[in-house]
Amino acid sequence: MLMQFPVPYRDELLSSILARFIQRQGINADKQALELLFGSRNIVPSSLFQGHIQKLLANVGHIWKATPEQIIEKYTLLNVYKPFMGNSRYVAQKNELISSDKNHSLISIGVNASKLTWPLSFQYCPVCVKQDLTALGETYWRRYFQLPGMSCCPMHLCQLVDSDITFHASQRHAFVPADNRHYETSSKFGIVASDSHQTILSEQIYQLFNKGYSNHSTYQWSHYYQNLARSLNLMTGKQVDHEQISALVRGAWGDCWLHRNGLSLEIDNNWLLAIFRKHRRPFTYLHHLVVMIALLGDSISIEAECSKVSSLPNEPSRRNHYSNSEYDERKGEYRSIWLKLVNQFKTLKEIRATKEGARVYSWLYRFDRKWQKMHMLTRLSQERVDNRVDWVKRDRELVRLLLNVEKIAYSELTLPRKSRAWFVKQVAATNVIPDNLNKLPLCECFLSRYPESVEEYQLRRLLAIVVNKLNNGQAIPKRYELERSAGLSKERIRKPAAEVLRVDIPRIARKARLTRGYKINSNSRYSASS
Protein backbone atom coordinates (compact mmCIF):
# COMPACT_ATOMS: atom_id res chain seq x y z
CA MET A 1 0.00 0.00 0.00
CA LEU A 2 1.29 3.43 -0.94
CA MET A 3 2.20 5.74 1.94
CA GLN A 4 3.05 8.88 -0.05
CA PHE A 5 1.52 10.72 -3.00
CA PRO A 6 2.19 14.28 -4.26
CA VAL A 7 -0.38 17.02 -3.76
CA PRO A 8 -1.77 17.96 -7.21
CA TYR A 9 -1.22 21.53 -8.31
CA ARG A 10 -3.84 23.74 -9.95
CA ASP A 11 -4.64 22.66 -13.52
CA GLU A 12 -1.93 20.01 -13.51
CA LEU A 13 -2.20 17.19 -16.02
CA LEU A 14 -2.91 13.82 -14.44
CA SER A 15 0.12 12.35 -16.22
CA SER A 16 2.27 15.10 -14.65
CA ILE A 17 1.03 14.20 -11.16
CA LEU A 18 1.91 10.54 -11.71
CA ALA A 19 5.31 11.48 -13.17
CA ARG A 20 6.14 13.54 -10.07
CA PHE A 21 5.19 10.59 -7.86
CA ILE A 22 7.48 8.23 -9.77
CA GLN A 23 10.31 10.77 -9.67
CA ARG A 24 9.97 11.29 -5.90
CA GLN A 25 9.93 7.57 -5.24
CA GLY A 26 13.08 7.08 -7.33
CA ILE A 27 11.49 4.30 -9.39
CA ASN A 28 13.53 3.58 -12.52
CA ALA A 29 11.53 0.61 -13.83
CA ASP A 30 8.47 1.82 -15.78
CA LYS A 31 6.53 -1.43 -15.40
CA GLN A 32 7.13 -1.44 -11.66
CA ALA A 33 5.70 2.08 -11.44
CA LEU A 34 2.60 1.02 -13.40
CA GLU A 35 2.01 -1.93 -11.11
CA LEU A 36 2.41 0.28 -8.06
CA LEU A 37 -0.05 2.91 -9.34
CA PHE A 38 -2.59 0.85 -11.27
CA GLY A 39 -2.07 -2.70 -10.04
CA SER A 40 -1.20 -3.79 -13.59
CA ARG A 41 1.86 -3.77 -15.82
CA ASN A 42 -0.23 -3.63 -19.03
CA ILE A 43 -1.33 0.00 -18.71
CA VAL A 44 -0.15 2.29 -21.52
CA PRO A 45 0.35 5.88 -20.25
CA SER A 46 -1.15 8.79 -22.16
CA SER A 47 0.33 12.27 -21.77
CA LEU A 48 -2.90 14.06 -22.68
CA PHE A 49 -5.77 11.68 -21.84
CA GLN A 50 -4.64 9.38 -19.06
CA GLY A 51 -7.34 6.80 -18.35
CA HIS A 52 -7.78 3.89 -15.89
CA ILE A 53 -8.70 6.38 -13.15
CA GLN A 54 -10.72 3.79 -11.24
CA LYS A 55 -7.72 1.45 -11.05
CA LEU A 56 -5.53 4.36 -9.97
CA LEU A 57 -7.84 5.33 -7.10
CA ALA A 58 -8.02 1.70 -5.99
CA ASN A 59 -4.29 2.03 -5.16
CA VAL A 60 -3.93 5.69 -4.14
CA GLY A 61 -7.48 6.57 -3.09
CA HIS A 62 -6.65 6.19 0.60
CA ILE A 63 -4.14 9.08 0.22
CA TRP A 64 -5.64 11.13 -2.62
CA LYS A 65 -9.18 11.88 -1.46
CA ALA A 66 -10.74 12.65 -4.81
CA THR A 67 -13.56 11.15 -6.84
CA PRO A 68 -13.06 10.11 -10.50
CA GLU A 69 -15.33 12.97 -11.60
CA GLN A 70 -13.22 15.51 -9.68
CA ILE A 71 -10.02 14.21 -11.27
CA ILE A 72 -11.53 14.50 -14.75
CA GLU A 73 -12.79 18.00 -14.07
CA LYS A 74 -9.59 19.37 -12.52
CA TYR A 75 -6.72 17.41 -14.08
CA THR A 76 -7.69 16.29 -17.61
CA LEU A 77 -8.44 17.96 -20.96
CA LEU A 78 -12.01 16.68 -21.23
CA ASN A 79 -13.55 19.85 -19.77
CA VAL A 80 -12.52 21.93 -22.78
CA TYR A 81 -14.67 19.67 -24.99
CA LYS A 82 -17.65 19.45 -22.63
CA PRO A 83 -19.75 22.48 -23.74
CA PHE A 84 -19.52 21.42 -27.38
CA MET A 85 -20.74 17.83 -27.12
CA GLY A 86 -24.04 16.28 -26.08
CA ASN A 87 -24.55 14.86 -22.62
CA SER A 88 -24.63 11.21 -23.73
CA ARG A 89 -21.33 11.49 -25.57
CA TYR A 90 -19.68 13.34 -22.70
CA VAL A 91 -20.79 10.66 -20.23
CA ALA A 92 -19.42 7.96 -22.55
CA GLN A 93 -16.03 9.74 -22.78
CA LYS A 94 -15.93 10.23 -19.03
CA ASN A 95 -16.71 6.57 -18.36
CA GLU A 96 -14.00 5.52 -20.79
CA LEU A 97 -11.39 7.49 -18.86
CA ILE A 98 -12.65 6.15 -15.54
CA SER A 99 -13.36 2.48 -15.99
CA SER A 100 -12.55 1.23 -19.50
CA ASP A 101 -10.00 -1.58 -19.70
CA LYS A 102 -8.50 -0.02 -22.83
CA ASN A 103 -8.13 3.73 -23.20
CA HIS A 104 -9.15 4.80 -26.73
CA SER A 105 -9.87 8.43 -25.82
CA LEU A 106 -7.58 9.87 -28.49
CA ILE A 107 -9.72 8.07 -31.07
CA SER A 108 -13.19 8.48 -29.56
CA ILE A 109 -12.74 12.18 -28.75
CA GLY A 110 -11.45 12.71 -32.27
CA VAL A 111 -7.87 13.80 -31.60
CA ASN A 112 -6.28 11.26 -33.95
CA ALA A 113 -8.66 11.97 -36.83
CA SER A 114 -8.81 15.74 -36.29
CA LYS A 115 -7.16 18.13 -38.72
CA LEU A 116 -6.22 20.43 -35.83
CA THR A 117 -2.45 20.79 -35.40
CA TRP A 118 -1.52 19.59 -31.92
CA PRO A 119 1.84 20.58 -30.40
CA LEU A 120 4.49 17.89 -30.82
CA SER A 121 5.99 18.50 -27.38
CA PHE A 122 4.97 19.88 -24.01
CA GLN A 123 4.63 23.69 -23.89
CA TYR A 124 5.30 25.97 -20.94
CA CYS A 125 5.26 29.61 -19.90
CA PRO A 126 8.72 30.85 -18.78
CA VAL A 127 7.19 33.22 -16.22
CA CYS A 128 5.07 30.45 -14.71
CA VAL A 129 8.14 28.20 -14.49
CA LYS A 130 10.15 30.85 -12.67
CA GLN A 131 7.32 31.46 -10.21
CA ASP A 132 6.89 27.71 -9.64
CA LEU A 133 10.57 27.18 -8.91
CA THR A 134 10.55 30.11 -6.46
CA ALA A 135 7.33 29.19 -4.63
CA LEU A 136 7.21 25.38 -4.98
CA GLY A 137 10.79 24.31 -5.68
CA GLU A 138 9.56 22.41 -8.76
CA THR A 139 7.27 22.91 -11.73
CA TYR A 140 4.64 20.85 -13.55
CA TRP A 141 2.78 20.42 -16.84
CA ARG A 142 -0.26 22.69 -17.02
CA ARG A 143 -3.09 21.13 -18.98
CA TYR A 144 -4.29 24.19 -20.92
CA PHE A 145 -0.79 24.90 -22.35
CA GLN A 146 -0.86 21.63 -24.33
CA LEU A 147 -3.83 22.39 -26.61
CA PRO A 148 -4.03 23.42 -30.28
CA GLY A 149 -4.39 27.18 -30.68
CA MET A 150 -2.82 27.89 -27.28
CA SER A 151 0.16 30.10 -28.06
CA CYS A 152 0.45 32.39 -25.02
CA CYS A 153 -0.08 32.29 -21.27
CA PRO A 154 -3.53 33.67 -20.26
CA MET A 155 -2.08 35.09 -17.00
CA HIS A 156 1.21 36.65 -18.14
CA LEU A 157 0.33 37.15 -21.86
CA CYS A 158 3.78 35.93 -22.94
CA GLN A 159 4.44 33.40 -25.69
CA LEU A 160 4.65 29.73 -24.78
CA VAL A 161 7.90 27.87 -25.39
CA ASP A 162 8.27 24.31 -26.68
CA SER A 163 10.15 21.98 -24.37
CA ASP A 164 12.32 19.15 -25.68
CA ILE A 165 9.94 16.53 -24.21
CA THR A 166 7.57 15.08 -26.79
CA PHE A 167 4.09 13.80 -25.99
CA HIS A 168 5.02 10.39 -27.38
CA ALA A 169 7.94 9.35 -25.22
CA SER A 170 10.59 7.03 -26.60
CA GLN A 171 9.81 4.70 -23.70
CA ARG A 172 6.22 3.57 -24.22
CA HIS A 173 5.41 2.94 -20.55
CA ALA A 174 7.08 6.01 -19.06
CA PHE A 175 5.57 9.08 -17.40
CA VAL A 176 7.81 12.13 -18.02
CA PRO A 177 7.92 14.85 -15.33
CA ALA A 178 8.37 18.57 -15.98
CA ASP A 179 12.04 18.56 -15.00
CA ASN A 180 13.46 22.10 -14.96
CA ARG A 181 16.50 20.91 -16.92
CA HIS A 182 14.31 20.92 -20.04
CA TYR A 183 13.45 24.62 -19.81
CA GLU A 184 15.05 27.63 -21.47
CA THR A 185 14.05 30.36 -19.03
CA SER A 186 16.83 32.76 -20.00
CA SER A 187 16.82 33.04 -23.80
CA LYS A 188 13.04 33.15 -24.32
CA PHE A 189 11.89 34.64 -21.06
CA GLY A 190 8.63 36.56 -21.12
CA ILE A 191 8.29 37.48 -24.80
CA VAL A 192 4.96 39.28 -24.92
CA ALA A 193 2.43 38.02 -27.48
CA SER A 194 1.67 40.74 -30.03
CA ASP A 195 -1.55 39.40 -31.56
CA SER A 196 -4.60 40.48 -29.53
CA HIS A 197 -6.76 37.74 -31.06
CA GLN A 198 -4.38 35.06 -29.81
CA THR A 199 -4.33 36.47 -26.28
CA ILE A 200 -8.16 36.58 -26.27
CA LEU A 201 -8.22 33.00 -27.57
CA SER A 202 -5.90 31.82 -24.79
CA GLU A 203 -7.98 33.59 -22.13
CA GLN A 204 -11.21 32.03 -23.41
CA ILE A 205 -9.68 28.53 -23.50
CA TYR A 206 -8.58 29.07 -19.90
CA GLN A 207 -12.16 30.06 -19.02
CA LEU A 208 -13.44 26.77 -20.44
CA PHE A 209 -11.34 24.90 -17.88
CA ASN A 210 -12.34 26.98 -14.88
CA LYS A 211 -16.08 27.46 -15.33
CA GLY A 212 -18.70 24.78 -14.83
CA TYR A 213 -20.31 24.75 -18.28
CA SER A 214 -23.08 22.32 -19.10
CA ASN A 215 -23.33 20.15 -22.19
CA HIS A 216 -24.98 21.50 -25.32
CA SER A 217 -26.36 19.41 -28.14
CA THR A 218 -25.50 19.82 -31.81
CA TYR A 219 -29.10 20.95 -32.36
CA GLN A 220 -28.56 23.87 -29.95
CA TRP A 221 -25.30 24.89 -31.61
CA SER A 222 -26.92 24.74 -35.05
CA HIS A 223 -29.58 27.23 -33.93
CA TYR A 224 -27.00 29.40 -32.15
CA TYR A 225 -25.06 29.98 -35.38
CA GLN A 226 -28.22 30.65 -37.35
CA ASN A 227 -29.19 33.28 -34.77
CA LEU A 228 -25.64 34.69 -34.74
CA ALA A 229 -25.60 35.18 -38.52
CA ARG A 230 -29.05 36.77 -38.38
CA SER A 231 -28.15 39.15 -35.54
CA LEU A 232 -25.01 40.34 -37.37
CA ASN A 233 -26.85 40.80 -40.70
CA LEU A 234 -24.73 38.11 -42.33
CA MET A 235 -27.66 36.86 -44.38
CA THR A 236 -28.59 37.01 -48.04
CA GLY A 237 -32.35 36.83 -47.90
CA LYS A 238 -33.08 33.80 -45.75
CA GLN A 239 -29.71 32.16 -46.45
CA VAL A 240 -26.46 32.56 -44.51
CA ASP A 241 -23.89 34.63 -46.40
CA HIS A 242 -21.00 32.16 -46.22
CA GLU A 243 -18.69 34.27 -48.39
CA GLN A 244 -18.95 37.27 -46.09
CA ILE A 245 -18.39 35.12 -42.99
CA SER A 246 -15.34 33.50 -44.60
CA ALA A 247 -13.93 36.95 -45.43
CA LEU A 248 -14.38 38.08 -41.80
CA VAL A 249 -12.71 34.97 -40.36
CA ARG A 250 -9.81 35.21 -42.81
CA GLY A 251 -9.42 38.90 -42.13
CA ALA A 252 -9.29 38.35 -38.37
CA TRP A 253 -6.89 35.39 -38.28
CA GLY A 254 -5.09 35.32 -41.61
CA ASP A 255 -4.72 32.32 -43.90
CA CYS A 256 -1.26 31.47 -42.53
CA TRP A 257 -2.47 31.15 -38.94
CA LEU A 258 -5.54 29.14 -39.99
CA HIS A 259 -3.44 26.77 -42.08
CA ARG A 260 -0.82 26.40 -39.34
CA ASN A 261 -3.50 25.34 -36.83
CA GLY A 262 -5.33 22.93 -39.16
CA LEU A 263 -8.24 25.30 -39.87
CA SER A 264 -7.57 26.01 -43.54
CA LEU A 265 -10.45 27.39 -45.60
CA GLU A 266 -8.91 26.58 -48.98
CA ILE A 267 -11.33 23.79 -49.95
CA ASP A 268 -14.90 24.59 -50.96
CA ASN A 269 -16.73 22.34 -48.48
CA ASN A 270 -14.75 23.41 -45.41
CA TRP A 271 -15.45 23.36 -41.67
CA LEU A 272 -16.60 27.02 -41.59
CA LEU A 273 -19.32 26.27 -44.12
CA ALA A 274 -20.45 23.26 -42.05
CA ILE A 275 -20.54 25.10 -38.72
CA PHE A 276 -23.23 27.49 -40.04
CA ARG A 277 -25.30 24.60 -41.35
CA LYS A 278 -27.04 21.83 -39.46
CA HIS A 279 -24.43 20.26 -37.16
CA ARG A 280 -24.11 16.58 -37.97
CA ARG A 281 -21.10 16.22 -35.70
CA PRO A 282 -19.70 18.28 -32.82
CA PHE A 283 -16.97 20.84 -33.50
CA THR A 284 -14.07 21.47 -31.13
CA TYR A 285 -13.54 24.43 -28.84
CA LEU A 286 -11.04 25.91 -31.35
CA HIS A 287 -13.53 25.92 -34.24
CA HIS A 288 -16.12 27.70 -32.10
CA LEU A 289 -13.78 30.26 -30.54
CA VAL A 290 -12.14 31.16 -33.86
CA VAL A 291 -15.56 31.99 -35.33
CA MET A 292 -16.82 33.85 -32.25
CA ILE A 293 -13.70 36.03 -31.90
CA ALA A 294 -13.73 36.86 -35.63
CA LEU A 295 -17.42 37.86 -35.65
CA LEU A 296 -17.91 39.29 -32.17
CA GLY A 297 -14.51 40.92 -31.63
CA ASP A 298 -12.27 41.11 -28.57
CA SER A 299 -15.25 41.62 -26.25
CA ILE A 300 -16.20 37.97 -26.71
CA SER A 301 -17.13 36.03 -23.58
CA ILE A 302 -17.49 32.29 -23.97
CA GLU A 303 -19.53 32.24 -20.76
CA ALA A 304 -22.11 34.64 -22.21
CA GLU A 305 -22.29 32.75 -25.51
CA CYS A 306 -22.76 29.40 -23.75
CA SER A 307 -25.60 30.97 -21.75
CA LYS A 308 -27.30 31.87 -25.03
CA VAL A 309 -26.89 28.29 -26.26
CA SER A 310 -28.35 26.92 -23.00
CA SER A 311 -31.53 28.95 -23.54
CA LEU A 312 -32.15 27.31 -26.94
CA PRO A 313 -34.28 24.15 -27.27
CA ASN A 314 -32.33 20.93 -26.87
CA GLU A 315 -34.14 19.07 -29.64
CA PRO A 316 -36.57 19.89 -32.46
CA SER A 317 -40.18 20.39 -31.43
CA ARG A 318 -42.62 17.75 -32.52
CA ARG A 319 -45.03 18.40 -35.37
CA ASN A 320 -48.24 20.05 -34.29
CA HIS A 321 -51.25 17.77 -34.01
CA TYR A 322 -54.44 19.44 -35.13
CA SER A 323 -57.94 18.50 -34.00
CA ASN A 324 -61.35 19.25 -35.52
CA SER A 325 -64.71 18.88 -33.76
CA GLU A 326 -66.37 18.04 -37.08
CA TYR A 327 -63.78 15.39 -38.03
CA ASP A 328 -66.07 12.36 -37.64
CA GLU A 329 -68.86 14.03 -39.60
CA ARG A 330 -66.78 15.33 -42.52
CA LYS A 331 -63.97 12.79 -42.95
CA GLY A 332 -66.10 10.65 -45.28
CA GLU A 333 -66.80 13.64 -47.54
CA TYR A 334 -63.12 14.64 -47.82
CA ARG A 335 -61.94 11.05 -48.29
CA SER A 336 -64.32 10.44 -51.18
CA ILE A 337 -63.27 13.70 -52.90
CA TRP A 338 -59.61 12.74 -52.44
CA LEU A 339 -60.08 9.30 -54.00
CA LYS A 340 -61.74 10.91 -57.03
CA LEU A 341 -58.83 13.33 -57.38
CA VAL A 342 -56.31 10.47 -57.13
CA ASN A 343 -58.06 8.66 -60.02
CA GLN A 344 -58.35 11.85 -62.06
CA PHE A 345 -54.78 13.18 -61.86
CA LYS A 346 -51.38 11.55 -62.33
CA THR A 347 -49.26 13.53 -59.86
CA LEU A 348 -49.69 15.22 -56.50
CA LYS A 349 -48.48 18.46 -58.04
CA GLU A 350 -51.41 18.44 -60.46
CA ILE A 351 -53.87 17.82 -57.63
CA ARG A 352 -52.57 20.67 -55.51
CA ALA A 353 -52.56 23.01 -58.50
CA THR A 354 -56.37 23.00 -58.43
CA LYS A 355 -58.34 24.95 -55.83
CA GLU A 356 -60.38 21.92 -54.78
CA GLY A 357 -57.31 19.68 -54.64
CA ALA A 358 -55.36 22.13 -52.49
CA ARG A 359 -58.31 22.52 -50.08
CA VAL A 360 -58.88 18.78 -49.65
CA TYR A 361 -55.16 18.00 -49.39
CA SER A 362 -54.72 20.64 -46.68
CA TRP A 363 -57.68 19.34 -44.61
CA LEU A 364 -56.55 15.71 -44.81
CA TYR A 365 -52.94 16.65 -44.04
CA ARG A 366 -54.03 18.34 -40.82
CA PHE A 367 -56.77 16.09 -39.52
CA ASP A 368 -56.48 12.74 -41.31
CA ARG A 369 -52.79 12.41 -42.12
CA LYS A 370 -52.50 8.67 -41.47
CA TRP A 371 -55.31 7.81 -43.90
CA GLN A 372 -53.96 10.25 -46.48
CA LYS A 373 -50.53 8.57 -46.43
CA MET A 374 -52.19 5.21 -47.18
CA HIS A 375 -54.02 6.65 -50.20
CA MET A 376 -51.38 8.83 -51.81
CA LEU A 377 -50.57 8.66 -55.50
CA THR A 378 -47.99 6.05 -56.39
CA ARG A 379 -44.97 7.69 -57.93
CA LEU A 380 -44.43 6.89 -61.57
CA SER A 381 -40.94 5.56 -62.06
CA GLN A 382 -39.60 6.85 -65.33
CA GLU A 383 -36.78 4.78 -66.65
CA ARG A 384 -34.02 7.00 -67.87
CA VAL A 385 -31.81 5.62 -70.58
CA ASP A 386 -28.23 6.79 -70.29
CA ASN A 387 -26.38 6.45 -73.57
CA ARG A 388 -23.34 8.45 -72.56
CA VAL A 389 -21.26 5.34 -71.77
CA ASP A 390 -20.77 2.23 -73.88
CA TRP A 391 -20.96 -0.21 -70.98
CA VAL A 392 -20.18 -3.27 -73.11
CA LYS A 393 -16.93 -1.72 -74.27
CA ARG A 394 -16.14 -0.45 -70.74
CA ASP A 395 -16.81 -3.94 -69.34
CA ARG A 396 -14.32 -5.57 -71.72
CA GLU A 397 -11.65 -2.96 -71.03
CA LEU A 398 -11.96 -3.28 -67.27
CA VAL A 399 -12.00 -7.07 -67.19
CA ARG A 400 -8.80 -7.16 -69.31
CA LEU A 401 -7.12 -4.92 -66.76
CA LEU A 402 -8.39 -7.10 -63.90
CA LEU A 403 -7.11 -10.27 -65.56
CA ASN A 404 -3.72 -8.66 -66.09
CA VAL A 405 -3.57 -7.71 -62.39
CA GLU A 406 -4.49 -11.26 -61.39
CA LYS A 407 -1.79 -12.69 -63.68
CA ILE A 408 0.91 -10.45 -62.17
CA ALA A 409 -0.24 -10.94 -58.57
CA TYR A 410 -0.81 -14.70 -58.75
CA SER A 411 2.64 -15.73 -57.53
CA GLU A 412 3.28 -12.78 -55.23
CA LEU A 413 3.02 -14.15 -51.71
CA THR A 414 3.57 -10.93 -49.75
CA LEU A 415 0.68 -8.89 -51.14
CA PRO A 416 -2.22 -7.77 -48.93
CA ARG A 417 -5.45 -9.71 -49.18
CA LYS A 418 -6.60 -9.77 -52.82
CA SER A 419 -10.21 -8.95 -52.07
CA ARG A 420 -12.82 -7.53 -54.43
CA ALA A 421 -12.00 -4.01 -53.24
CA TRP A 422 -8.26 -4.66 -53.73
CA PHE A 423 -8.72 -5.73 -57.36
CA VAL A 424 -10.99 -2.76 -58.10
CA LYS A 425 -8.43 -0.40 -56.56
CA GLN A 426 -5.61 -1.79 -58.72
CA VAL A 427 -7.41 -0.76 -61.91
CA ALA A 428 -8.41 2.66 -60.48
CA ALA A 429 -12.12 1.92 -60.84
CA THR A 430 -13.37 2.34 -57.27
CA ASN A 431 -16.01 4.81 -58.46
CA VAL A 432 -17.08 2.77 -61.49
CA ILE A 433 -17.23 -0.97 -60.85
CA PRO A 434 -18.96 -1.22 -57.42
CA ASP A 435 -21.80 1.14 -58.43
CA ASN A 436 -22.39 -0.36 -61.89
CA LEU A 437 -21.94 -4.11 -61.51
CA ASN A 438 -25.34 -4.74 -63.10
CA LYS A 439 -23.97 -3.14 -66.29
CA LEU A 440 -20.60 -4.95 -66.10
CA PRO A 441 -21.34 -8.71 -66.26
CA LEU A 442 -17.75 -9.71 -67.13
CA CYS A 443 -16.36 -7.74 -64.19
CA GLU A 444 -18.99 -9.25 -61.92
CA CYS A 445 -18.00 -12.74 -63.07
CA PHE A 446 -14.31 -11.96 -62.40
CA LEU A 447 -15.04 -10.56 -58.94
CA SER A 448 -17.05 -13.63 -58.00
CA ARG A 449 -14.24 -16.02 -59.01
CA TYR A 450 -10.78 -14.55 -58.37
CA PRO A 451 -10.89 -12.56 -55.09
CA GLU A 452 -9.20 -14.20 -52.14
CA SER A 453 -11.17 -15.38 -49.12
CA VAL A 454 -9.98 -14.84 -45.56
CA GLU A 455 -9.03 -18.53 -45.31
CA GLU A 456 -6.94 -18.35 -48.49
CA TYR A 457 -5.26 -15.17 -47.32
CA GLN A 458 -4.27 -16.73 -43.99
CA LEU A 459 -2.82 -19.75 -45.80
CA ARG A 460 -0.85 -17.51 -48.17
CA ARG A 461 0.64 -15.56 -45.26
CA LEU A 462 1.83 -18.79 -43.68
CA LEU A 463 3.18 -20.02 -47.03
CA ALA A 464 5.11 -16.78 -47.58
CA ILE A 465 6.93 -17.18 -44.26
CA VAL A 466 7.74 -20.87 -44.85
CA VAL A 467 8.98 -20.26 -48.42
CA ASN A 468 11.18 -17.37 -47.28
CA LYS A 469 12.76 -19.46 -44.51
CA LEU A 470 13.44 -22.45 -46.77
CA ASN A 471 14.89 -20.36 -49.59
CA ASN A 472 17.26 -18.68 -47.14
CA GLY A 473 18.34 -22.00 -45.59
CA GLN A 474 16.72 -21.19 -42.25
CA ALA A 475 14.73 -23.46 -39.98
CA ILE A 476 10.95 -23.21 -40.07
CA PRO A 477 9.84 -21.39 -36.90
CA LYS A 478 7.76 -22.99 -34.20
CA ARG A 479 4.00 -22.78 -34.36
CA TYR A 480 3.56 -19.82 -32.02
CA GLU A 481 6.27 -17.89 -33.90
CA LEU A 482 4.55 -18.60 -37.21
CA GLU A 483 1.20 -17.42 -35.83
CA ARG A 484 2.74 -14.21 -34.53
CA SER A 485 4.66 -13.50 -37.76
CA ALA A 486 1.53 -14.11 -39.84
CA GLY A 487 -0.59 -11.90 -37.59
CA LEU A 488 -2.84 -14.77 -36.54
CA SER A 489 -4.42 -15.30 -33.14
CA LYS A 490 -6.70 -17.86 -31.54
CA GLU A 491 -9.67 -15.56 -32.10
CA ARG A 492 -8.98 -14.79 -35.78
CA ILE A 493 -7.46 -17.97 -37.17
CA ARG A 494 -9.73 -20.01 -39.48
CA LYS A 495 -9.92 -23.81 -39.59
CA PRO A 496 -7.83 -24.39 -42.79
CA ALA A 497 -4.90 -22.35 -41.43
CA ALA A 498 -5.14 -24.12 -38.06
CA GLU A 499 -5.02 -27.53 -39.81
CA VAL A 500 -2.01 -26.52 -41.91
CA LEU A 501 -0.20 -25.38 -38.77
CA ARG A 502 -1.07 -28.62 -37.00
CA VAL A 503 -0.34 -31.14 -39.79
CA ASP A 504 1.43 -29.74 -42.86
CA ILE A 505 3.98 -27.34 -41.37
CA PRO A 506 5.53 -30.00 -39.07
CA ARG A 507 5.71 -32.41 -42.05
CA ILE A 508 7.48 -29.81 -44.22
CA ALA A 509 9.86 -28.99 -41.35
CA ARG A 510 10.78 -32.70 -40.93
CA LYS A 511 11.37 -33.09 -44.67
CA ALA A 512 13.52 -29.95 -44.74
CA ARG A 513 15.68 -31.31 -41.91
CA LEU A 514 16.10 -34.68 -43.66
CA THR A 515 17.01 -33.14 -47.01
CA ARG A 516 19.05 -30.40 -45.33
CA GLY A 517 16.73 -27.78 -46.74
CA TYR A 518 15.48 -27.26 -50.25
CA LYS A 519 14.59 -24.35 -52.45
CA ILE A 520 11.04 -23.40 -53.46
CA ASN A 521 10.51 -21.28 -56.52
CA SER A 522 7.71 -19.00 -55.30
CA ASN A 523 7.64 -17.06 -58.58
CA SER A 524 6.57 -19.99 -60.69
CA ARG A 525 2.87 -20.24 -61.47
CA TYR A 526 2.99 -24.05 -61.34
CA SER A 527 5.77 -25.24 -59.04
CA ALA A 528 6.81 -28.86 -58.71
CA SER A 529 6.49 -28.75 -54.94
CA SER A 530 2.82 -27.80 -55.21
Side-chain angles (χ1 to χ4, degrees), residues 331-386:
K331 68 178 180 181
E333 174 191 346
Y334 279 96
R335 286 181 179 183
S336 62
I337 297 174
W338 178 257
L339 292 176
K340 291 177 183 178
L341 292 170
V342 167
N343 293 327
Q344 183 180 352
F345 295 97
K346 293 182 178 180
T347 65
L348 179 60
K349 185 176 181 181
E350 292 178 0
I351 294 176
R352 296 185 65 184
T354 65
K355 186 175 181 180
E356 180 72 357
R359 181 181 69 84
V360 174
Y361 175 84
S362 178
W363 192 93
L364 290 172
Y365 185 88
R366 288 190 174 190
F367 308 122
D368 206 4
R369 179 66 175 154
K370 188 175 181 180
W371 182 90
Q372 187 189 42
K373 281 184 176 181
M374 296 171 59
H375 297 84
M376 290 291 285
L377 279 166
T378 55
R379 292 192 177 185
L380 299 176
S381 57
Q382 298 178 353
E383 291 195 8
R384 178 172 163 269
V385 179
D386 188 356

Side-chain angles (χ1 to χ4, degrees), residues 431-525:
N431 295 328
V432 178
I433 294 179
D435 297 333
N436 300 283
L437 270 180
N438 59 326
K439 303 174 186 176
L440 304 168
L442 295 178
C443 292
E444 185 176 14
C445 181
F446 176 93
L447 294 176
S448 63
R449 176 179 177 182
Y450 289 101
E452 196 173 40
S453 66
V454 175
E455 290 81 0
E456 291 169 337
Y457 179 43
Q458 290 185 352
L459 290 173
R460 178 161 62 81
R461 280 148 62 186
L462 291 171
L463 177 62
I465 298 170
V466 172
V467 167
N468 181 59
K469 295 295 183 183
L470 292 176
N471 285 343
N472 288 287
Q474 300 175 358
I476 297 176
K478 295 181 180 180
R479 175 170 179 169
Y480 71 89
E481 292 177 338
L482 274 174
E483 289 178 341
R484 184 174 59 188
S485 299
L488 302 176
S489 64
K490 293 181 180 179
E491 295 79 15
R492 290 196 297 265
I493 194 168
R494 301 292 176 89
K495 188 174 180 181
E499 284 297 306
V500 166
L501 281 170
R502 188 179 67 85
V503 178
D504 296 314
I505 298 297
R507 178 176 58 81
I508 295 172
R510 286 194 300 270
K511 188 173 180 181
R513 287 195 298 270
L514 291 174
T515 59
R516 296 181 182 179
Y518 54 87
K519 298 283 184 179
I520 295 180
N521 184 7
S522 61
N523 293 321
S524 173
R525 188 176 180 89

Side-chain angles (χ1 to χ4, degrees), residues 176-285:
V176 184
D179 196 325
N180 57 19
R181 290 173 297 178
H182 299 282
Y183 293 118
E184 300 178 19
T185 56
S186 58
S187 61
K188 298 182 180 180
F189 187 83
I191 301 177
V192 178
S194 57
D195 192 330
S196 62
H197 286 336
Q198 294 187 31
T199 58
I200 296 297
L201 176 61
S202 299
E203 290 171 357
Q204 296 306 312
I205 293 175
Y206 181 73
Q207 289 299 319
L208 286 171
F209 280 109
N210 292 279
K211 298 284 185 179
Y213 297 106
S214 57
N215 303 101
H216 303 112
S217 67
T218 54
Y219 183 81
Q220 288 175 300
W221 281 112
S222 299
H223 275 264
Y224 167 81
Y225 281 104
Q226 290 289 321
N227 295 342
L228 180 63
R230 196 174 293 109
S231 65
L232 298 175
N233 295 321
L234 298 173
M235 306 285 287
T236 303
K238 294 184 178 180
Q239 303 298 321
V240 175
D241 191 341
H242 294 288
E243 291 186 4
Q244 189 177 355
I245 291 172
S246 178
L248 290 171
V249 173
R250 283 182 163 180
W253 296 98
D255 286 336
C256 291
W257 188 91
L258 292 171
H259 181 75
R260 189 167 63 248
N261 287 274
L263 297 170
S264 177
L265 301 176
E266 296 300 325
I267 61 174
D268 293 334
N269 192 18
N270 54 60
W271 64 270
L272 185 58
L273 199 71
I275 205 170
F276 278 90
R277 290 176 171 172
K278 178 181 178 181
H279 288 204
R280 303 186 184 279
R281 59 178 176 83
F283 292 88
T284 68
Y285 67 94

